[in-house]
């Protein structure tokens, strides 16, 4: 009997002879987009290794998401929505389906049967910003912006804070394309940033255009670096990718489903996992990244994960770099320790070092 109990514990099986909850999930892009939607889909499919059944609807416009949530709620015990724009439609559907659990990624609205979750991508973004600040020769860092929602805004702000922590002359330029997955727009924005002299290129969408261009255009005289997004993108430009942000959603999804299966899922958790939990991480370093750059960033990363305080008193807490104090783009100071999670979730301004003005609702 003890051997059987040990086997159950090690294999991750929750119950024997008991029906596991079924899972429905909605993706804003195609599941093979190479980035955000693909990484979520991989996380859900990993649940099938533990006996969970999943069903998926991909490439769902945010305006049509409510109808899709309704359909999935009729045949699943728990439904996940993986885009910020799914939040308000999910709130309405959750109210009409009280017996179904709903989980929304990157948002902040919830109810008795609807909770939120996010990985702290800004932590890894800050680290990539440090690398960008050390790598740039022109002091110009370019970002292809997807949608100017709070999550993306805080990620870009984290890049700027990281870059300027090691290179005060660094500036961040952004071109918004208002799309998650639009290859032509993404490619045009990438080229425009490169033509404007940005020699470290980021994307916040799901297409590796910046990595491909850096690989094609970089020369010894004018090196160009790129940063991947959401999933490892090293294969698209192994010599000119520096690193990037990757998400391991499978860890969080298994945690939620195992608790639901065991009858221990408490709503209102608002899961906020980060590098310590392994939900957000850096992708592998590119082949040609100078060792002094990777070593510098990896040292900060490990100090952060291991809660090691720096000799100058700096402490890498969960809200860093926003907990350390900074200036907004217009010079308004934000005091150390004054930013909380809600302010991050609703962030609607740029920090110092970002060049373009913050987009208005019509832009």
């Amino acid at each position: 009997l003890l051997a059987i109990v040990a086997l159950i514990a090690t294999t991750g099986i929750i119950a024997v002879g008991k029906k596991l909850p079924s899972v429905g999930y909605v993706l804003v892009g195609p599941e093979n987009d190479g980035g955000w939607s693909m990484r979520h889909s991989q996380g859900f499919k990993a649940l099938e290794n533990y006996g969970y059944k999943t069903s998926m609807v991909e490439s769902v416009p945010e305006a049509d998401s409510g109808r899709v949530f309704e359909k999935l709620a009729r045949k699943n015990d728990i439904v996940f929505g993986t885009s910020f724009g799914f939040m308000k439609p999910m709130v309405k559907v959750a109210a009409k389906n009280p017996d179904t659990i709903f989980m929304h990624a990157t948002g902040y609205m919830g109810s008795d049967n609807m909770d939120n979750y996010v990985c702290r991508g800004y932590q890894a973004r800050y680290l990539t910003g440090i690398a960008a600040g050390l790598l740039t020769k022109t002091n110009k860092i370019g970002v292809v912006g997807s949608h100017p929602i709070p999550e993306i805004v805080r990620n870009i702000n984290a890049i700027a804070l990281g870059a300027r922590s090691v290179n005060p002359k660094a500036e961040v330029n952004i071109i918004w394309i208002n799309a998650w997955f639009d290859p032509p727009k993404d490619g045009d924005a990438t080229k425009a940033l490169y033509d404007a002299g940005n020699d470290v290129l980021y994307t916040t969408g799901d297409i590796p255009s910046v990595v491909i261009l850096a690989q094609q255009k970089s020369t010894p005289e004018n090196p160009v670096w790129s940063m991947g997004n959401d999933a490892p993108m090293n294969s698209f430009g192994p010599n000119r990718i520096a690193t990037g942000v990757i998400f391991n959603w499978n860890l969080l999804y298994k945690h939620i489903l195992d608790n639901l299966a065991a009858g221990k899922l408490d709503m209102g958790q608002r899961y906020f996992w980060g590098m310590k939990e392994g939900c957000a991480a850096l992708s592998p370093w590119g082949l040609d990244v100078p060792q002094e750059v990777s070593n510098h960033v990896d040292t900060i990363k490990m100090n952060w994960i291991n809660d090691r305080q720096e000799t100058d008193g700096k402490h890498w807490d969960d809200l860093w770099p926003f907990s350390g104090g900074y200036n907004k783009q217009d010079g308004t100071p934000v005091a150390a320790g004054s930013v909380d999670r809600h302010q991050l979730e609703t962030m609607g301004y740029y920090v110092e070092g970002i060049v373009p003005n913050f987009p208005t609702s019509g832009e």
Side-chain angles (χ1 to χ4, degrees):
L1 179 61
L2 289 175
I4 294 172
V5 171
L7 178 63
I8 291 173
T10 56
T11 57
I13 299 173
I14 298 300
V16 176
K18 185 177 180 180
K19 183 176 180 294
L20 292 174
S22 55
V23 184
Y25 63 97
V26 182
L27 305 176
V28 71
E31 67 169 335
N32 63 347
D33 65 1
W36 177 263
S37 292
M38 181 189 76
R39 206 63 175 168
H40 278 285
S41 185
Q42 289 172 341
F44 286 114
K45 288 183 176 179
L47 294 172
E48 297 174 1
N49 297 326
Y50 302 95
Y52 295 105
K53 292 184 178 180
T54 68
S55 57
M56 174 269 293
V57 183
E58 62 182 330
S59 300
V60 175
E62 292 167 342
D64 192 39
S65 60
R67 180 188 62 82
V68 179
F69 291 142
E70 283 275 11
K71 182 178 178 180
L72 289 174
R74 289 195 289 269
K75 60 180 181 178
N76 290 287
D77 300 298
I78 185 169
V79 175
F80 290 80
T82 62
S83 180
F84 182 83
F86 292 164
M87 179 172 63
K88 291 182 180 179
M90 180 175 275
V91 169
K92 294 179 181 179
V93 175
K96 293 188 290 184
N97 295 271
D99 295 330
T100 303
I101 299 296
F102 292 86
M103 289 282 172
H104 178 257
T106 75
Y108 52 86
M109 293 181 177
S111 63
D112 291 343
N113 64 320
M114 176 179 166
D115 210 341
N116 312 107
Y117 66 97
V118 69
C119 286
R120 293 187 180 99
Y122 62 84
Q123 295 181 331
R125 291 284 187 187
Y126 175 75
L127 294 176
T128 68
I130 294 174
L134 294 172
L135 289 169
T136 180
K137 302 299 183 184
T138 64
N139 295 324
K140 298 179 72 174
I141 298 166
V143 180
V144 178
S146 47
H147 289 278
I149 62 171
E151 181 194 13
I152 302 301
V153 170
R154 69 173 176 261
N155 284 342
I156 297 174
N157 283 341
I159 292 169
L161 291 172
R164 288 169 69 86
S165 72
V166 293
N167 182 355
K169 295 182 179 179
E171 62 180 37
V172 175
N173 299 278
I174 309 164
I175 295 179
W176 293 102
I177 63 172
N178 296 306
W180 295 117
F181 186 79
D182 191 322
K185 283 186 178 180
D186 197 289
D188 290 344
T190 298
K191 186 176 185 303
L193 288 167
Y194 167 74
D195 289 342
N198 295 280
D199 64 351
V200 181
L201 300 173
Y202 282 82
T203 181
T204 64
D206 302 323
I207 303 164
S209 298
V210 297
V211 182
I212 295 170
L213 182 142
Q215 184 77 14
Q216 293 174 342
K217 298 292 188 179
S218 185
T219 65
E221 298 77 21
N222 298 293
V224 183
W225 293 97
S226 62
M227 300 286 179
N229 187 47
D230 296 336
M233 294 182 173
N234 298 57
S235 62
F236 296 98
N239 302 102
R240 302 318 301 171
I241 192 170
T243 179
V245 178
I246 59 173
F247 292 108
N248 300 308
W249 296 107
N250 56 303
L251 302 176
L252 180 53
Y253 288 150
K254 187 173 185 298
H255 174 83
I256 292 172
L257 264 295
D258 285 353
N259 275 282
L260 178 60
K264 298 179 180 179
L265 182 66
D266 293 324
M267 301 303 288
Q269 295 298 301
R270 305 199 62 234
Y271 298 94
F272 201 40
W273 287 19
M275 291 194 303
K276 292 177 184 177
E277 296 85 359
C279 197
L282 291 179
S283 60
W285 289 101
L287 298 177
D288 292 346
V289 176
Q291 190 168 2
E292 60 268 23
V293 173
S294 59
N295 285 350
H296 183 84
V297 174
D298 284 340
T299 297
I300 294 173
K301 179 183 72 175
M302 294 313 300
N303 285 344
W304 201 341
I305 291 174
N306 295 322
D307 288 319
R308 291 177 183 160
Q309 191 164 338
E310 298 289 279
T311 54
D312 61 0
K314 184 184 296 181
H315 182 70
W316 309 97
D317 61 27
D318 286 339
L319 298 183
W320 188 271
F322 300 103
S323 59
Y326 54 89
N327 289 336
K328 293 184 179 180
Q329 186 184 53
D330 63 4
T332 303
V334 177
S338 65
V339 174
D340 59 22
R341 177 177 173 180
H342 179 70
Q343 289 171 304
L344 291 185
E345 291 173 334
T346 57
M347 186 168 280
Y349 58 83
Y350 289 150
V351 300
E352 203 169 56
I354 296 180
V355 175
N357 293 326
F358 193 81
T360 64
S361 58
E363 293 178 317

